Amino acid sequence: MASLICLGRPPTSGFSASDLLRSKSLRKASPRVAALGRYLSSSSYKPSSSPSSLKPLYLTTPQRSAFGSRDGPVTTTEPQGLSSRTRAYEADRSESIPVSDHESRAASAQKVKMGIYFATWWALNVVFNIYNKKVLNAFPYPWLTSTLSLAAGSLIMLLSWTARVVEAPKTDLNFWKALAPVAVAHTIGHVAATVSMSKVAVSFTHIIKSGEPAFSVLVSRFLLGEAFPVPVYLSLLPIIGGCALAAVTELNFNMTGFMGAMISNLAFVFRNIFSKRGMKGTSVSGMNYYACLSMLSLLILTPLAIAVEGPQMWAAGWNQAISQIGPQIAWWMAAQSVFYHLYNQVSYMSLDEISPLTFSIGNTMKRISVIVASIIIFRTPIQPVNALGAAIAIFGTFLYSQAKQ
């Protein structure tokens, strides 16, 4: 016969744990029962306030027979009672909690939403790079091209705020002060990448830009004193080696294009570092944060573009592009400017919905799609060794995203 001590609602007779402890017959009968009583009466035991959440505790004795028991063979039988070894076990009342149809549909909808975000992000980035390269081939003025990209994004967001399609952010002077170094780094990185693509193939620029994690680790380690696990450092070896192999075997290598991609990597690392500091304590969403960043970068870049290139060079380049391409050069410029903002906006929207690890993997896959699409569309000649270097560098970037977590 098993004895039952239910730890739920106390019985009406007032029997408690202290009664169990004071029971001499029980203490003499079984030390384990006495120990159980001392535990129940101690201050460390705090019963749940919800009787329904508690489980009954069964006290059982081993089944003995003339043939033996679970504790070993016996030669004689004994009366079953509290004087024999007692075992305690908890009644198993666990039940599987079914997932409701509403939760299942919500999870499926979230996956579909993120799939659409990723597909849109990659598609917009591919389209931007194609139109950007077309514009730079016919109108080789990267400073003006970069300025137009920021101007289009700023105009789109101003119209969205005015029409209340997007809620305007609430900012103050401190916000813009914190955003200033981010805007400087973003401006340098954006112009440097555009300069690179004006001198070399799109695929080569993105192969070199896949080495951005190496710059991130080196800057964080030597300037910020941040230490990383050993796998993170090891993941830099294929990144650096792959980029070096791709650069050495590049058929149309150009030092300006190579240095532009390298400077872009370094600038975007500092942009990310400053962004983490600037976004602390602010309620501005990712989309609006990037919009404010574009506007401030536009204010910084416009006078620099005028000083470096200037209206006279732009007018001469425009006349030459019109004679070679025709009026469609204007549509190419508008397309590359709009798609630049849209792909960055969707990427920030994706970052709000997913983890940094998933975002890093998505960014790596985006770079692969850009490299492959640009090689096919522009018929970029590429050697097998060059392709191997690109694959090694991108694979190292993937390993970095895994090791960083």
Side-chain angles (χ1 to χ4, degrees), residues 16-61:
S16 64
S18 59
D19 297 328
L20 179 63
L21 183 62
R22 289 193 297 268
S23 174
K24 295 183 180 180
S25 60
L26 288 179
R27 290 202 308 270
K28 293 179 180 180
S30 175
R32 292 195 177 188
V33 175
L36 176 62
R38 286 194 298 271
Y39 169 73
L40 296 177
S41 60
S42 63
S43 58
S44 61
Y45 171 71
K46 296 180 180 180
S48 172
S49 59
S50 176
S52 61
S53 65
L54 298 173
K55 300 179 179 181
L57 183 67
Y58 293 96
L59 301 179
T60 66
T61 58

Side-chain angles (χ1 to χ4, degrees), residues 89-320:
Y89 66 93
E90 192 176 46
D92 187 8
R93 296 173 58 187
S94 59
E95 298 179 358
S96 59
I97 302 176
V99 179
S100 64
D101 293 339
H102 176 74
E103 293 177 349
S104 179
R105 287 194 299 268
S108 300
Q110 180 67 14
K111 292 180 180 180
V112 172
K113 178 181 177 182
M114 293 315 306
I116 295 174
Y117 274 2
F118 270 57
T120 306
W121 175 21
W122 298 341
L124 291 174
N125 190 262
V126 169
V127 173
F128 157 71
N129 280 277
I130 292 172
Y131 277 109
N132 192 43
K133 185 59 177 177
K134 285 186 175 182
V135 170
L136 292 172
N137 287 339
F139 186 79
Y141 297 96
W143 288 79
L144 177 60
T145 304
S146 302
T147 305
L148 293 176
S149 300
L150 296 175
S154 301
L155 179 61
I156 290 173
M157 291 309 299
L158 285 175
L159 293 176
S160 300
W161 292 341
T162 303
R164 296 184 179 181
V165 176
V166 178
E167 184 179 357
K170 297 178 181 179
T171 62
D172 53 15
L173 183 59
N174 292 330
F175 171 82
W176 293 101
K177 287 182 179 180
L179 189 64
V182 184
V184 172
H186 179 70
T187 303
I188 296 174
H190 177 40
V191 173
T194 309
V195 169
S196 176
M197 281 190 281
S198 69
K199 299 296 183 181
V200 296
V202 176
S203 57
F204 180 72
T205 299
H206 279 272
I207 292 172
I208 302 302
K209 283 180 66 64
S210 65
E212 184 177 329
F215 286 84
S216 178
V217 172
L218 295 176
V219 169
S220 300
R221 178 67 183 89
F222 293 105
L223 295 184
L224 303 179
E226 184 178 356
F228 296 93
V230 175
V232 173
Y233 294 108
L234 294 178
S235 68
L236 301 183
L237 298 179
I239 295 176
I240 298 174
C243 289
L245 182 61
V248 170
T249 58
E250 176 65 24
L251 296 176
N252 299 315
F253 180 83
N254 180 277
M255 182 57 68
T256 302
F258 174 75
M259 292 304 300
M262 297 287 282
I263 293 173
S264 176
N265 283 338
L266 186 61
F268 282 141
V269 167
F270 280 104
R271 181 195 65 176
N272 296 336
I273 294 174
F274 294 144
S275 295
K276 291 180 181 179
R277 296 178 179 178
M279 293 187 71
K280 287 183 178 179
T282 180
S283 59
V284 179
S285 65
M287 182 190 302
N288 284 333
Y289 186 87
Y290 179 74
C292 296
L293 178 62
S294 297
M295 294 175 186
L296 191 54
S297 296
L298 177 63
L299 295 178
I300 297 172
L301 181 57
T302 300
L304 295 175
I306 295 174
V308 174
E309 295 174 347
Q312 293 182 351
M313 296 180 63
W314 297 337
W318 176 259
N319 293 331
Q320 185 177 359

Side-chain angles (χ1 to χ4, degrees), residues 350-366:
S350 302
L351 186 59
D352 283 342
E353 299 285 340
I354 60 179
S355 65
L357 174 59
T358 306
F359 184 82
S360 298
I361 297 175
N363 198 35
T364 303
M365 299 302 295
K366 175 210 73 174

